[in-house]
Amino acid sequence: EIYGHTAIIGASAGVVVAKGGSVRGLELIRAADVALYGAKANGGNGFCFFEPQMGLKLQLRRSLELDLRQAMERDEFEIYYQPQTRLPGNKIVGVEALIRWLHPERGFVSPMEFIPVAEDVGLIEPIGAWLLKEACTEVANWPEQITLAVNLSAVQFTTGDLLKTVSQALKQSGLPAEQLEFEITESLLMKETGTTLEILNKLRELNSSIAMDDFGTGYSSLSYIQKYPIDKIKIDRAFVMDLPENQESLAIVNAISAMAESLGLKTTAEGIETKEQARILSKAGCTFAQGYLFGKPMPAAEIVEMLGTKRRTKRSA
């Protein structure tokens, strides 16, 4: 009890067992600190015993963190774009901007590896701002007006000034706000801080749209759709990859599509790799499609070439 308020606290412990009399105290402290990091990584409120491989993992993470801090200065980030098409058909109506890190020694580093590190060490805000600015500038100069989808991290809602970053990117690039779509995850909505709803509403006031990514893989609370200004639901690839064989996945896709239609929401099915999957999803009522069938993530120049080719084909027809 603190001044009439109840504070609920927890504790994490890192444990190291000294074997032999030659171990130095400083080595024990460092090992215990590594074990403590492991306990926190496992969710906290628990303990973890030190194991030698933990030290190696920590060294690798610290090395990755150092390289990540230098990546922006060295201009090592690239933006790839994956086409989004309208169903039925294969007309490109949008792209999703995806960051890629080309390390001079590591090669391409997976976003699943470095994005969590960027969030932990406070680098996701400048990286996200760079991606938004660069992507808006590129798409604004493309031969066709298509939607640009950009992923937002939950951390971007609590650090920096997201609304200012978005406004500056739109102003400097000249991209119309209605061409910009922000993808958020359920984890962001679960961590409602009181400002999330306010920021999302202001993004909508700019005439940009909001899409809920990976729908169906988390808690999928329908209250999110009711409470937040959601325009689109992205059906996760987990329900698409095993179509048409898996009837349970098909039933889930049909249910999500029907629900979205009744609420006036659009849907995008991810992970489409075959024409049969596209046909099934179109029949189910999905509005848009994304997947290797229509194109892998690619540099801007290749997307522009695709747009030009499709436009020339349409004119000649």
Side-chain angles (χ1 to χ4, degrees):
E1 296 291 332
I2 304 177
Y3 296 107
H5 298 279
T6 300
I8 301 175
I9 61 174
S12 300
V15 184
V16 59
V17 178
K19 297 181 179 180
S22 61
V23 182
R24 293 183 299 174
L26 183 58
E27 292 177 354
L28 288 176
I29 293 175
R30 288 174 176 171
D33 187 51
V34 171
L36 176 60
Y37 180 85
K40 292 180 178 179
N42 290 331
N45 291 330
F47 62 91
C48 180
F49 280 91
F50 174 80
E51 296 179 5
Q53 63 266 30
M54 290 181 176
L56 178 59
K57 289 182 180 179
L58 186 59
Q59 289 179 9
L60 292 175
R61 189 186 189 282
R62 286 175 175 170
S63 176
L64 182 66
E65 178 184 330
L66 179 61
D67 289 346
L68 188 59
R69 292 184 181 278
Q70 298 174 340
M72 290 196 68
E73 299 177 3
R74 297 175 177 176
D75 198 26
E76 294 174 359
F77 290 121
E78 300 179 13
I79 302 178
Y80 276 42
Y81 300 89
Q82 186 168 26
Q84 297 176 332
T85 65
R86 181 182 294 277
L87 290 175
N90 61 354
K91 177 179 172 55
I92 298 177
V93 295
V95 292
E96 179 180 357
L98 302 166
I99 193 167
R100 295 291 184 265
W101 179 14
L102 181 57
H103 190 279
E105 297 177 359
R106 302 172 186 261
F108 276 105
V109 183
S110 170
M112 296 184 67
E113 183 179 356
F114 73 82
I115 291 297
V117 177
E119 292 177 333
D120 288 344
V121 301
L123 291 174
I124 194 64
E125 198 279 328
I127 291 175
W130 172 84
L131 182 144
L132 182 62
K133 178 182 176 181
E134 291 294 316
C136 286
T137 300
E138 287 187 326
V139 174
N141 294 303
W142 287 1
E144 291 189 21
Q145 293 185 352
I146 63 177
T147 301
L148 168 64
V150 177
N151 292 276
L152 292 180
S153 164
V155 180
Q156 290 175 272
F157 281 75
T158 57
T159 62
D161 191 336
L162 180 58
L163 292 173
K164 181 178 180 180
T165 299
V166 172
S167 298
Q168 289 179 342
L170 291 173
K171 182 178 180 179
Q172 294 175 7
S173 66
L175 182 75
E178 55 267 25
Q179 285 183 237
L180 189 57
E181 178 178 280
F182 296 101
E183 295 189 3
I184 60 175
T185 61
E186 290 176 87
S187 61
L188 166 66
L189 306 184
M190 289 172 61
K191 298 176 181 178
E192 168 61 40
T193 61
T195 60
T196 302
L197 179 59
E198 180 183 356
I199 293 175
L200 290 176
N201 280 328
K202 288 185 177 180
L203 290 176
R204 280 283 301 276
E205 290 175 3
L206 295 174
N207 291 324
S208 296
S209 57
I210 310 295
M212 181 184 287
D213 199 9
D214 301 331
F215 186 82
T217 59
Y219 290 94
S220 301
S221 172
L222 299 183
S223 64
Y224 297 151
I225 300 175
Q226 183 181 34
K227 179 179 179 180
Y228 295 95
I230 307 296
D231 301 287
K232 180 188 293 184
I233 292 174
K234 297 195 73 175
I235 303 174
D236 190 78
R237 66 182 67 248
F239 305 112
V240 175
M241 59 188 298
D242 54 0
L243 292 178
E245 291 81 8
N246 192 321
Q247 293 301 305
E248 292 181 353
S249 292
L250 180 58
I252 292 174
V253 169
N254 284 327
I256 295 175
S257 298
M259 178 196 67
E261 183 178 3
S262 65
L263 294 174
L265 304 178
K266 300 175 183 177
T267 52
T268 297
E270 297 183 287
I272 300 176
E273 297 187 357
T274 68
K275 292 182 179 180
E276 179 63 11
Q277 289 174 342
R279 185 192 67 80
I280 291 173
L281 292 163
S282 178
K283 184 178 179 181
C286 291
T287 321
F288 303 102
Q290 184 175 341
Y292 282 8
L293 176 63
F294 309 103
K296 297 181 179 181
M298 61 190 77
E302 295 183 24
I303 284 285
V304 171
E305 185 177 353
M306 286 182 66
L307 291 172
T309 300
K310 289 183 179 295
R311 187 172 58 172
R312 289 193 297 271
T313 302
K314 182 177 181 180
R315 286 179 176 177
S316 61

